[in-house]
Amino acid sequence: MTENFSNDTFKSEKGIHTDFIEKMTYGDYLQLDTLLSSQKRLSNHHDEMLFIIIHHVSELWLKLIIHETQGAIDAIQRKDLQASFKMLARVSKIQTQIIQAWDVLSTLTPAEYMEFRDKLGNASGFQSYQYRLVEFVLGYKTPFILKIYKKDPEVHGILEKAYLAPGLYDVSIHALADAGFPISKTVLERDFSKTYERDESVEAAWLEVYRNVDKYWDLYQLAEKLVDIEDWFQQWRFRHMKTVERIIGHKTGTGGSSGVGYLKKVLDHYFFPELWDIRTKI
């Protein structure tokens, strides 16, 4: 009965294309043959497929986060804040997706993971160059990270370029200066390869924005978009840490890090510190 209904419905759609001998299909456009053949298990364990797909999906979302964040940086530099808001709002929505991915991975039990963990060798999410690129475009620069990628000159070049370039917060601070706020020269002319540190002039500027929302509406919107991204990023970090703890406890990570201990440390880092500090002072 269901099959007949489906056939009748299909036949009623007269405009549906069925001849693709010389036309591009959905699979062609998305290169599904490449995408769906990339999940290659190194063990015969059923759950290794879950492990691979979760990380593939996360890498795709990270790619889009980088694309949108770099687009937002360009828009802010062009003084087109409205365009950046759409991109940054999209980043926040993407972040909710990669956070939920941890819920799926957490269905993997410690006993199941240990069946294939040895097959990973020293491969680890710690080495994800796209995750590091996200950190770089958000302004968190760590020089030792670049050493991991010397094996691949192309990847190393991409990371080095982002490492030396202004991050999302840097261009946002320049937007404050463009609006007439007296931002410290040391901040505006700082070495972008260094991780940003709190500055009183930046805090004073954001405080003024929040105290005069109507006057600085665009900058206020920008600030809240940044807070959204950092909020979701911290939630992602927390879910990452708890998922790792749930599956391997306090074992050393395959990449050599302290695992849960390392993940707990990075929870204390802020990309946009003044935007959090001023909440106590408003």
Side-chain angles (χ1 to χ4, degrees):
M1 188 71 176
T2 303
E3 184 179 355
N4 290 336
F5 176 78
S6 297
N7 286 337
D8 290 342
T9 302
F10 182 79
K11 290 176 182 178
S12 70
E13 294 292 330
K14 304 297 184 181
I16 291 179
H17 297 284
T18 57
D19 181 3
F20 286 95
I21 299 300
E22 297 181 358
K23 297 177 183 177
M24 180 176 66
T25 66
Y26 172 82
D28 295 334
Y29 175 67
L30 294 177
Q31 299 185 52
L32 290 182
D33 54 342
T34 301
L35 180 65
L36 298 180
S37 63
S38 297
Q39 294 74 45
K40 302 184 187 302
R41 289 182 293 169
L42 298 181
S43 74
N44 292 322
H45 197 274
H46 175 85
D47 293 315
E48 189 182 357
M49 184 63 74
L50 161 69
F51 190 80
I52 294 171
I53 287 178
I54 285 293
H55 287 85
H56 275 176
V57 169
S58 295
E59 288 293 333
L60 286 171
W61 282 130
L62 288 174
K63 184 173 183 176
L64 188 53
I65 286 175
I66 294 162
H67 176 71
E68 298 295 341
T69 305
Q70 289 179 329
I73 289 173
D74 292 341
I76 294 169
Q77 288 179 317
R78 297 193 310 269
K79 298 180 174 55
D80 188 359
L81 296 186
Q82 288 299 321
S84 75
F85 297 157
K86 177 64 179 294
M87 299 171 193
L88 296 177
R90 183 174 291 160
V91 169
S92 293
K93 290 297 183 182
I94 297 165
Q95 288 175 295
T96 66
Q97 296 298 307
I98 61 173
I99 289 170
Q100 290 178 352
W102 295 122
D103 294 337
V104 182
L105 186 58
S106 66
T107 64
L108 181 69
T109 69
E112 291 163 348
Y113 182 46
M114 292 310 294
E115 290 290 328
F116 62 86
R117 188 181 190 236
D118 64 310
K119 300 294 184 181
L120 303 181
N122 294 129
S124 166
F126 184 85
Q127 298 144 17
S128 167
Y129 84 86
Q130 288 201 125
Y131 174 76
R132 298 304 171 186
L133 196 50
V134 169
E135 288 189 327
F136 285 2
V137 296
L138 292 181
Y140 183 48
K141 310 291 181 70
T142 44
F144 76 93
I145 289 296
L146 290 174
K147 296 178 182 178
I148 298 173
Y149 307 98
K150 284 188 175 181
K151 176 182 177 180
D152 189 330
E154 183 178 356
V155 168
H156 187 273
I158 292 170
L159 283 166
E160 188 172 44
K161 181 179 178 181
Y163 180 74
L164 298 172
L168 179 59
Y169 199 43
D170 292 307
V171 297
S172 298
I173 291 172
H174 275 265
L176 289 171
D178 290 340
F181 287 100
I183 304 299
S184 170
K185 184 177 180 181
T186 58
V187 174
L188 296 177
E189 298 178 359
R190 77 183 196 85
D191 180 355
F192 296 127
S193 70
K194 307 294 184 184
T195 296
Y196 177 80
E197 295 183 3
R198 286 174 171 82
D199 179 84
E200 290 183 4
S201 67
V202 174
E203 180 179 301
W206 285 127
L207 193 57
E208 183 68 16
V209 168
Y210 274 78
R211 285 173 173 167
N212 294 277
V213 172
D214 292 339
K215 183 178 180 180
Y216 301 110
W217 179 247
D218 281 354
L219 291 170
Y220 173 71
Q221 284 185 287
L222 175 59
E224 285 298 291
K225 291 291 186 292
L226 297 180
V227 170
D228 286 342
I229 287 173
E230 177 135 51
D231 190 348
W232 285 116
F233 199 93
Q234 288 294 76
Q235 292 185 54
W236 183 88
R237 279 173 164 168
F238 180 78
R239 288 296 298 128
H240 184 188
M241 182 269 292
K242 294 306 292 184
T243 302
V244 170
E245 185 175 20
R246 175 172 177 154
I247 296 175
I248 69 168
H250 289 265
K251 292 186 180 73
T252 299
T254 52
S257 74
S258 59
V260 170
Y262 170 79
L263 295 174
K264 283 184 176 179
K265 289 177 185 176
V266 297
L267 283 173
D268 293 330
H269 173 262
Y270 286 92
F271 295 107
F272 321 127
E274 291 89 355
L275 289 175
W276 296 92
D277 294 342
I278 62 170
R279 279 158 160 72
T280 307
K281 302 178 180 180
I282 294 173

